Amino acid sequence: MRIIFAGTPDAAVPTLRALLSSSHEVALVITRPPARRGRGKTMYSSPVAEVAAQAGVDLLETTSLKDSAIGQRIEAVGADLGVVVAYGGLVPPSVLAMPTHGWVNLHFSDLPRWRGAAPVQWAIREGDPTTASCVFNLEEGLDTGDVYSRVEVAIGHESAGELLESMAEAGAGQVLGVVDALEADSAHATPQAAEGVTHARRLAHADGYVSFTHDAATEDRVIRSVTPNPGAYTVLPGGARMKLGVATPVQRDDLEPGQLEVTKKQVSVGCASGALILGQVAPAGKSWMDAAAWARGARPDAEVRLGGQTEEER
């Protein structure tokens, strides 16, 4: 099969590598243009672009596939199939129709639940016990196509980044299986259910605010859903922010919401019910450190409360 691959972040790399190592030919890789990252705002190529460059594959870096010249370049490839993993842009109908077998998309959710940009993050945030990776036929609607392959995945206490990484690695073989089946004309797709549709919008910075006014399990899911991006944080007395890494929820009800308990080895924070044992923290302008190390330096008194108000209420 002569394949066009479209993807951008780290989560797309395992599938690209699997296709490059397979009997199929990756004739063109489409990815987003270089973007600024880090404190220095240095321009970096996407992870997918780096892999494509190393493999010597023809590369197209673009934010949109609607331009007629880009469409002509894609059509000239004469592809049998297009494969998408987190490209970050829409594939217009004209381009969808170009490959002989259309396009397939690896999506990290149990479709039709969590269609959209951040399915892993929302599955964690809403407390779903399981999710799935689905390979489906890409069509004009948002993640609406018939599903070729579904693999269920249990959700433990991972962060969104950890879960996405493991699903991306497992999904690579899943995609390759569908590509092989399409080549052999043995692939079968099942329409998605009409009920149970939910949408997973991209999480914003404000979604990472931890107020400690909900139960510990809920605050824990908030933290894990935004780790590593856009990141969790709370507010210290005086308004300064402190970033929060993944914490550990525990059952205890002797601490008020936001109240600290500091020992030599750990820092616990009360919630509406239960508490969180903080892991790594990063006060404004400082590097990540163990919460106990932060407390030794900050020496918060017994009246200090973390959070306690939403961003809108502050």
Side-chain angles (χ1 to χ4, degrees):
M1 295 268 272
R2 188 168 168 82
I3 292 172
I4 295 173
F5 180 84
T8 298
D10 287 321
V13 167
T15 296
L16 175 57
R17 291 193 186 280
L19 291 170
L20 289 169
S21 300
S22 73
S23 61
H24 306 286
E25 176 193 2
V26 179
L28 175 66
V29 170
I30 303 171
T31 191
R32 306 282 285 187
R36 297 187 185 279
R37 296 202 304 266
R39 290 185 177 180
K41 299 299 181 181
T42 304
M43 296 290 287
Y44 289 93
S45 297
S46 76
V48 161
E50 293 176 358
V51 173
Q54 292 168 3
V57 178
D58 192 19
L59 180 65
L60 172 59
E61 295 176 301
T62 179
T63 57
S64 174
L65 303 181
K66 294 181 179 180
D67 182 82
S68 59
I70 287 177
Q72 290 171 6
R73 181 175 174 184
I74 294 172
E75 188 171 28
V77 172
D80 298 305
L81 179 69
V83 176
V84 179
V85 184
Y87 164 58
L90 296 177
V91 182
S94 60
V95 177
L96 287 174
M98 288 176 184
T100 306
H101 294 278
W103 294 69
V104 297
N105 187 10
L106 173 62
H107 188 69
F108 302 107
S109 84
D110 196 0
L111 292 170
R113 184 159 177 80
W114 302 129
R115 293 173 177 169
V120 170
Q121 292 89 332
W122 281 99
I124 289 174
R125 197 176 185 92
E126 292 300 306
D128 293 357
T130 62
T131 186
S133 57
C134 290
V135 181
F136 69 92
N137 178 52
L138 194 63
E139 57 184 31
E140 193 171 356
L142 178 64
D143 302 332
T144 57
D146 295 351
V147 177
Y148 286 109
S149 174
R150 173 188 176 275
V151 176
E152 186 170 297
V153 177
I155 299 178
H157 195 252
E158 308 101 321
S159 68
E162 291 168 337
L163 182 56
L164 182 58
E165 182 179 3
S166 64
M167 292 180 72
E169 291 290 342
Q174 189 181 353
V175 171
L176 195 55
V178 170
V179 174
D180 290 342
L182 286 167
E183 182 185 36
D185 199 27
S186 61
H188 299 284
T190 303
Q192 295 183 34
E195 59 279 346
V197 176
T198 55
H199 292 277
R201 65 170 173 82
R202 192 178 304 278
L203 294 174
H205 177 70
D207 292 309
Y209 181 72
V210 179
S211 65
F212 299 103
T213 58
H214 306 94
D215 63 82
T218 297
E219 301 287 17
D220 167 58
R221 293 197 304 270
V222 168
I223 294 172
R224 290 188 290 119
S225 74
V226 296
T227 301
N229 293 307
Y233 67 96
T234 191
V235 177
L236 299 170
R241 293 183 179 184
M242 182 167 70
K243 297 177 183 178
L244 301 174
V246 174
T248 303
V250 293
Q251 291 295 324
R252 57 180 294 183
D253 292 307
D254 57 334
L255 294 174
E256 297 176 6
Q259 182 180 359
L260 295 173
E261 179 188 75
V262 177
T263 67
K264 289 183 178 180
K265 294 185 177 181
Q266 69 183 37
V267 177
S268 301
V269 187
C271 300
S273 64
L276 289 180
I277 299 174
L278 300 185
Q280 294 283 302
V281 302
K286 296 185 178 180
S287 302
W288 287 97
M289 65 185 76
D290 186 80
W294 163 75
R296 285 195 295 271
R299 297 183 179 181
D301 60 42
E303 302 303 314
V304 166
R305 297 289 185 271
L306 299 184
Q309 292 180 309
T310 65
E311 282 282 276
E312 291 75 14
E313 291 171 332
R314 289 196 62 80

